[in-house]
Amino acid sequence: QKLTPTGKNVFEIHSVSITETGLTVRFTKPASKADLENVENFFVEQWYYEPTPEYGGAKIGEKKLTITSAKASPTGRAVHLEIDGLSENRVVTIRTDIKSTDGEQIWSGEAWYTINRIPGRDDTGLNVLVFSKTAGFRHGSIKQGREMFQAMGAKHGWNVTLSEDAAIMTDASLSQFDAVVFLSTTGDILNESQEDAFERFIQAGGGYVGIHAAADTEYDWPWYGGLVGGYFMSHPQIQHASIVLEDRGHPATNFLPHRWNRTDEWYDYKENPRVKVNVLASLDTSTYSGHKMGDDHPIMWYHEFDGGRAFYTGLGHTAETYSEPKF
């Protein structure tokens, strides 16, 4: 193709930049304030791509986002769109069909932006839901676990919400949170609509943390089994054992010793999760008795799943666990 400059500028999106609350869209020519501040004039969607060995991959987790407000710049050359639900590690497309102040129709009106980081999102200001509903065995240590998360919130500046009410599992409620912790949940704790809302939360880039009996939860919901990484099968009596750290490059393990010796209730899982997850730590089965899963025994892992991120630890049965600094 040969392009011959005409010396004239077309009306088009010039550039896009990200802020803590949304996206700023700049144009090559000014547009009217009325057009720029009408949220109906803009369409925003986000997704991520399935990784494949070849170039390209299917779009995963496509989601139209809600623009809550639009603020034009004084010159009319830019508009800041405040957007609900923007997530990191996503591709965003913006479309508009407005005209410039001199009446020129926008040329393509499309832009794409890859979000790697959202400014201001770090360890502070996280919104965390700690969910501890049980429909089976109830661990007495849930109380200490809830207290631990409240203390961590106060220390790190997190906003921690404690709940055992499954009614919180709606799109509107979950959109307030960056991560949801299943703290020793057990049994069938969510109905179908609540399960669907939680799936959409993860697909939109939400985080999941499963602690101990989170693996003893929702056996009839295969998607959840994939998220947590493995279902509980059995456990021997509480006893001392040695944990072997396999990956010390992760934020959950980079401060732990190569061998971590402690007392807990050591879960066996119905299937070895190693082929599906990134194993952080496993049990040295020669250091305790009664295991049934085999000598390869992962006990802590993480993975990306259906658009979100998941972390699980089998530790956490005893009340004393939640006052251990390393835990």
Side-chain angles (χ1 to χ4, degrees), residues 125-129 153 157-161 177:
L126 284 175
N127 295 304
V128 180
L129 170 62
W158 303 344
N159 302 307
V160 176
T161 299
F177 300 107

Coordinates of all heavy atoms in Angstrom, one line a residue, residues 125-129 153 157-161 177:
G125 N -5.6 -0.7 49.8 CA -6.9 -0.5 49.2 C -7.6 -1.7 48.6 O -8.6 -1.5 47.9
L126 N -7.0 -2.9 48.7 CA -7.7 -4.0 48.2 C -9.0 -4.2 48.9 O -9.1 -4.0 50.2 CB -6.9 -5.3 48.4 CG -5.7 -5.5 47.5 CD1 -4.9 -6.7 47.9 CD2 -6.1 -5.7 46.1
N127 N -10.0 -4.7 48.2 CA -11.3 -5.0 48.8 C -11.5 -6.5 48.8 O -11.5 -7.1 47.7 CB -12.5 -4.4 48.0 CG -12.4 -2.8 48.0 OD1 -12.4 -2.3 49.1 ND2 -12.3 -2.2 46.9
V128 N -11.5 -7.1 50.0 CA -11.5 -8.5 50.2 C -12.7 -9.0 50.9 O -13.1 -8.5 51.9 CB -10.2 -8.9 51.0 CG1 -10.2 -10.4 51.1 CG2 -8.9 -8.4 50.3
L129 N -13.4 -10.0 50.3 CA -14.5 -10.7 50.9 C -14.0 -12.0 51.5 O -13.5 -12.8 50.8 CB -15.6 -10.9 49.9 CG -16.8 -11.8 50.4 CD1 -17.5 -11.2 51.5 CD2 -17.7 -12.1 49.2
G153 N -6.1 -6.8 57.3 CA -6.6 -5.6 56.7 C -6.2 -4.3 57.3 O -5.8 -3.4 56.6
G157 N -4.0 -2.0 55.0 CA -4.9 -1.1 54.3 C -5.9 -1.7 53.4 O -6.4 -1.1 52.5
W158 N -6.3 -3.0 53.7 CA -7.3 -3.7 52.9 C -8.7 -3.3 53.5 O -8.8 -3.1 54.7 CB -7.2 -5.2 52.9 CG -5.8 -5.7 52.5 CD1 -4.9 -5.0 51.7 CD2 -5.3 -7.0 52.7 NE1 -3.8 -5.9 51.5 CE2 -4.1 -7.1 52.1 CE3 -5.8 -8.1 53.4 CZ2 -3.3 -8.2 52.1 CZ3 -5.0 -9.3 53.4 CH2 -3.8 -9.3 52.7
N159 N -9.7 -3.4 52.7 CA -11.1 -3.3 53.2 C -11.6 -4.7 53.2 O -11.8 -5.3 52.2 CB -11.9 -2.4 52.2 CG -11.3 -1.0 52.1 OD1 -11.1 -0.3 53.1 ND2 -11.1 -0.6 50.8
V160 N -11.8 -5.2 54.4 CA -12.1 -6.6 54.6 C -13.6 -6.7 55.0 O -14.0 -6.1 56.0 CB -11.3 -7.3 55.7 CG1 -11.7 -8.7 56.0 CG2 -9.8 -7.3 55.2
T161 N -14.4 -7.5 54.3 CA -15.8 -7.8 54.5 C -15.9 -9.2 55.0 O -15.4 -10.1 54.2 CB -16.6 -7.5 53.3 OG1 -16.5 -6.1 53.0 CG2 -18.1 -7.8 53.6
F177 N -15.4 -6.2 45.0 CA -14.3 -6.9 45.6 C -13.2 -7.2 44.6 O -13.5 -7.5 43.4 CB -14.7 -8.2 46.3 CG -15.7 -8.0 47.4 CD1 -17.1 -8.3 47.2 CD2 -15.3 -7.4 48.6 CE1 -18.0 -8.1 48.2 CE2 -16.2 -7.2 49.6 CZ -17.6 -7.5 49.4

